[in-house]
Amino acid sequence: MSRSERSPLLLAGLLAAAGVAHFTRPRTFDAIVPRGLPGTPRAWTYASGAAELALAAGIALPRTRKAAALTTAAFFVGVFPANVKMAVDWRHRPAPQRAAAYGRLPVQVPLVLWARGVAKAGEGRS
């Protein structure tokens, strides 16, 4: 399997794992839901987990890959405020936890670019 064939499957796997984590460890995600959002943090945790699972399925299927990958790029931008909240909330935690929280911030850029790359590679399949 070539790198271009593996890339969408790896992205789908990452999204699926994150989606499952939202349901198996929801408290972790509840804590980073920005307070200004309407509804409960748990509702947002479950909604974002379900979205990640749906995006994973969409990327895994060649027929829906391009649209799902573009939506994934937007999703990664949309969840960035949660990562900012985590970094702010964890600024007084021990160095390893603080580093993990701060490290999530720049990781969003390659994730967005990865999803866009998967979409571009899938253009011939729509």
Side-chain angles (χ1 to χ4, degrees):
M1 182 180 286
S2 72
R3 182 174 184 240
S4 64
E5 292 170 322
R6 277 193 316 266
S7 183
L9 299 178
L10 291 171
L11 181 57
L14 173 78
L15 286 162
V20 167
H22 280 72
F23 292 96
T24 59
R25 295 188 339 242
R27 277 209 216 132
T28 304
F29 299 95
D30 293 349
I32 65 171
V33 172
R35 303 270 183 258
L37 293 174
T40 65
R42 183 62 51 95
W44 285 100
T45 294
Y46 287 158
S48 60
E52 286 172 327
L53 291 171
L55 291 168
I59 288 172
L61 299 170
R63 186 179 71 239
T64 55
R65 182 167 296 153
K66 181 182 176 188
L70 289 172
T71 305
T72 297
F75 178 82
F76 286 146
V77 171
V79 299
F80 187 72
N83 293 336
V84 171
K85 182 181 183 313
M86 182 180 188
V88 169
D89 289 350
W90 287 27
R91 69 187 178 278
H92 300 298
R93 291 209 178 175
Q97 291 177 331
R98 197 169 55 243
Y102 292 157
R104 288 177 64 133
L105 298 174
V107 169
Q108 292 301 114
V109 173
L111 287 173
V112 169
L113 294 175
W114 184 11
R116 287 185 58 211
V118 167
K120 185 171 179 149
E123 283 178 352
R125 298 182 181 148
S126 13

